[in-house]
Amino acid sequence: MAENSAAEATPAKKGKLKLIILLVIVVILAIALSVAGTLWFLGGTLPGMGGDGASEDSAVTEEPFIPSAYLDIDKALVTTVQGEGRQRYVQVYVSLEALGPQALAAAELHMPLIRSQLVMVLGNSSFAELQTPDGRKNLAASMLGTVNQVLEQEGEPAITRVLFRNFVVQ
């Protein structure tokens, strides 16, 4: 009888061991699927699978980021404009933006000519235009064209933008 009870205990232990191993495998599989699903939803690709992720990385490395450089025109551009039948004053502090230091060095070299031309552009503006955001955008575009025209005449590289640091109309 003692032999029968020992024989019955061994199959019960083997059944429980199989159940525990099966549960551990199911839990590990669930965790692996959860991690793979999360990576797929967040990144779009799974690690180790070439696909689209490799082509996106190569496209990004083809165009390196080039930071902008800036040059502040130290003195304000001050002039008068005609508005509402009387003289109005305009004071503008300007900065120039370029993608390389060569264009800013050229602009600094030719600053007297650039300042003169910018004052002329500002003086030819109307008071009503300078009070609207669109008028200021048009003025910035006109100033950009003027500065680039001066730099082109001198055989220098162009700048990318004219920025207003301070803008006062009175």
Side-chain angles (χ1 to χ4, degrees):
M1 198 104 188
E3 289 180 17
N4 275 344
S5 64
E8 290 175 8
T10 304
K13 285 185 181 180
K14 286 184 180 180
K16 286 185 180 181
L17 183 62
K18 286 181 183 179
L19 182 64
I20 291 173
I21 291 174
L22 184 62
L23 285 175
V24 167
I25 290 173
V26 168
V27 168
I28 290 173
L29 185 61
I31 290 172
L33 288 174
S34 172
V35 168
T38 302
L39 289 175
W40 183 73
F41 280 118
L42 292 179
T45 60
L46 295 175
M49 299 181 80
D52 297 329
S55 64
E56 289 176 11
D57 290 341
S58 64
V60 171
T61 57
E62 289 176 13
E63 267 186 52
F65 174 71
I66 300 172
S68 295
Y70 301 94
L71 172 68
D72 293 339
I73 297 179
D74 294 331
K75 296 181 182 178
L77 303 173
V78 180
T79 188
T80 58
V81 293
Q82 196 65 14
E84 301 173 6
R86 61 184 203 170
Q87 292 288 322
R88 299 289 191 151
Y89 292 97
V90 179
Q91 178 185 31
V92 180
Y93 286 88
V94 177
S95 293
L96 305 177
E97 176 186 4
L99 293 179
Q102 299 85 6
L104 294 181
E108 194 167 13
L109 178 66
H110 302 291
M111 190 55 67
L113 180 57
I114 291 172
R115 281 182 55 84
S116 173
Q117 294 297 318
L118 291 180
V119 168
M120 296 295 280
V121 169
L122 189 60
N124 289 333
S125 303
S126 74
F127 182 72
E129 286 177 354
L130 298 177
Q131 288 183 312
T132 66
D134 288 336
R136 290 180 184 171
K137 285 180 187 176
N138 293 338
L139 177 64
S142 177
M143 286 181 158
L144 175 65
T146 301
V147 171
N148 283 335
Q149 182 181 10
V150 168
L151 292 175
E152 182 181 321
Q153 288 173 354
E154 299 297 327
E156 304 288 356
I159 64 166
T160 55
R161 249 190 327 187
V162 171
L163 305 168
F164 297 135
R165 295 184 325 221
N166 193 1
F167 198 100
V168 179
V169 288
Q170 233 178 349

